[in-house]
Amino acid sequence: MSKTLARAAAVADRHVTGLSQQVLAELVAEVGPRWQARQEARLVDRPRQRAVGAGASYRLVFIDRLLATLVHLRHGVTHDVLACWFGVSRSTITRAIGEVRPLLAERGCTVEGGIRLRTLADVVAYLGATGQRGLLDATEVRVRRPAAHKAGRARFVSGKARANTIKSLVITDADGRLLFCGQTRPGSIHDLTQVRQAGLVELLALTPGVTLLADAGYQGLSTQTAGAVITPRPARRKNQIPVFPAVAAAHEAERRAHASKRIRVEHGISHLKNWRALSRHLGRREHLDTILRAVAGLVSSQERAPRPDQLSRPPRALPAGTAA
């Protein structure tokens, strides 16, 4: 398949890249100049033996490099398959993905007004300024186990997943749209420890008025953040003193109300896991943080983009007898 046909197939069908044509056009306009600037800076930075512009031209233009990276992240396609698809060598695809993926990770998550949230401090400041309620959780991605007889081999073993994982912090808005994904830690770390090491407690203390809903794994964080993080009441144990049925029913109703408000963060995490690169990471563990931030930025851009039916929808007619 020629590169022109491969490019047309990737752009025409949203299932190939997971992004609409409008989002792809925005990515080309935004990331393309930055990639070109970095390439020129890399060439100028080293001592040259030939004039600028000499030598062979790129066999893979930027849009093909971007599409190859998106297909790799979306479907987990190997570099060998992408090399056959675009008619280049495997090393060219590997180099292209290594160049484009960090640029996608630097974009951050998109919110209203085209504002980009790149750090945890940006997310807390945004929630404090808009008065929105955030949803806090963590997700784990399976990774390869470190080699035998290596130091820290047990650091990635997650007691919850019973596998070698890397844990990432996720924050969404009340509708489940992504605001942040990052602060990766080995899977053996507790959710509370991850939040404390990320500095979220200090950020919430500096930004009043922020409210985050979290699950039972973050119990105890509400006291440290002066109620900024709201967790459900602990479930009653079997060996506890019995209470009146009305009290027990109110207790359970409160837990269910909290779960119904917090469940949207699971929807945001599921949108991340739809990208095959995050269902199970088979590459180097040090690349996973960049992949998580890149996919989170792409998912947030697609979530904020207008749907095709909204773009072509005709204006609604006013009811009869209503003044314009």
Side-chain angles (χ1 to χ4, degrees):
M1 181 184 295
S2 66
K3 285 180 282 189
T4 304
L5 293 177
R7 183 189 312 146
V11 173
D13 193 350
R14 176 177 168 179
H15 294 88
V16 178
T17 61
L19 304 175
S20 62
Q21 295 185 15
Q22 178 184 358
V23 176
L24 286 175
E26 294 175 356
L27 284 176
V28 173
E30 176 186 355
V31 183
R34 293 168 55 197
W35 174 82
Q36 187 64 36
R38 288 197 178 185
Q39 293 300 108
E40 294 176 355
R42 180 179 61 86
L43 294 176
V44 172
D45 188 53
R46 64 185 183 183
R48 299 188 58 86
Q49 297 181 358
R50 289 183 292 185
V52 177
S57 59
Y58 291 114
R59 296 192 60 189
L60 204 63
V61 297
F62 170 74
I63 186 172
D64 293 334
R65 293 169 182 260
L66 176 63
L67 292 175
T69 304
L70 294 176
V71 173
H72 172 69
L73 294 176
R74 179 65 177 179
H75 300 284
V77 180
T78 62
H79 295 185
D80 292 319
V81 173
L82 290 173
C84 295
W85 194 12
F86 286 94
V88 294
S89 64
R90 182 184 185 277
S91 60
T92 300
I93 294 294
T94 302
R95 191 181 309 112
I97 294 176
E99 293 171 356
V100 176
R101 187 172 54 200
L103 296 175
L104 296 177
E106 294 172 2
R107 295 177 64 249
C109 294
T110 307
V111 294
E112 292 83 357
I115 301 174
R116 297 290 174 80
L117 307 179
R118 296 180 173 86
T119 63
L120 198 57
D122 294 342
V123 176
V124 174
Y126 170 76
L127 293 175
T130 58
Q132 299 184 38
R133 174 180 292 176
L135 307 179
L136 172 67
D137 204 351
T139 183
E140 297 185 57
V141 180
R142 292 187 63 182
V143 296
R144 293 189 300 178
R145 189 177 186 182
H149 309 296
K150 258 196 171 182
R153 193 182 188 211
R155 293 173 58 241
F156 297 94
V157 179
S158 169
K160 180 179 179 181
R162 302 296 181 91
N164 291 268
T165 65
I166 287 182
K167 183 176 295 186
S168 177
L169 193 66
V170 178
I171 298 179
T172 68
D173 60 10
D175 295 326
R177 292 175 294 191
L178 286 168
L179 300 179
F180 178 79
C181 181
Q183 295 293 336
T184 55
R185 297 291 187 276
S188 61
I189 198 171
H190 194 276
D191 292 349
L192 278 175
T193 306
Q194 181 188 26
V195 167
R196 291 166 182 162
Q197 291 183 356
L200 182 60
V201 177
E202 292 77 9
L203 291 173
L204 292 175
L206 296 174
T207 310
V210 179
T211 303
L212 295 174
L213 297 185
D215 60 11
Y218 296 94
Q219 286 181 352
L221 196 61
S222 178
T223 304
Q224 298 181 6
T225 58
V229 178
I230 303 175
T231 56
R233 294 185 60 179
R236 291 190 57 81
R237 299 187 299 271
K238 294 182 179 180
N239 58 352
Q240 281 186 309
I241 300 175
V243 297
F244 292 106
V247 176
H251 184 177
E252 187 62 24
E254 182 180 346
R255 287 175 53 83
R256 289 184 178 180
H258 182 277
S260 65
K261 297 176 183 177
R262 194 202 63 83
I263 195 63
R264 291 287 184 177
V265 69
E266 304 293 347
H267 300 166
I269 292 176
S270 67
H271 293 162
L272 286 173
K273 294 300 182 68
N274 284 337
W275 292 67
R276 187 63 63 85
L278 299 182
S279 61
R280 183 172 182 179
H281 181 62
L282 300 177
R284 295 186 178 182
R285 291 182 297 276
E286 54 268 24
H287 292 167
L288 184 57
D289 181 74
T290 305
I291 294 176
L292 278 163
R293 291 187 288 114
V295 172
L298 295 172
V299 171
S300 68
S301 296
Q302 186 60 49
E303 289 174 340
R304 303 288 177 174
R307 297 180 180 179
D309 56 347
Q310 295 175 347
L311 293 175
S312 58
R313 181 181 300 172
R316 297 178 59 184
L318 294 175
T322 305

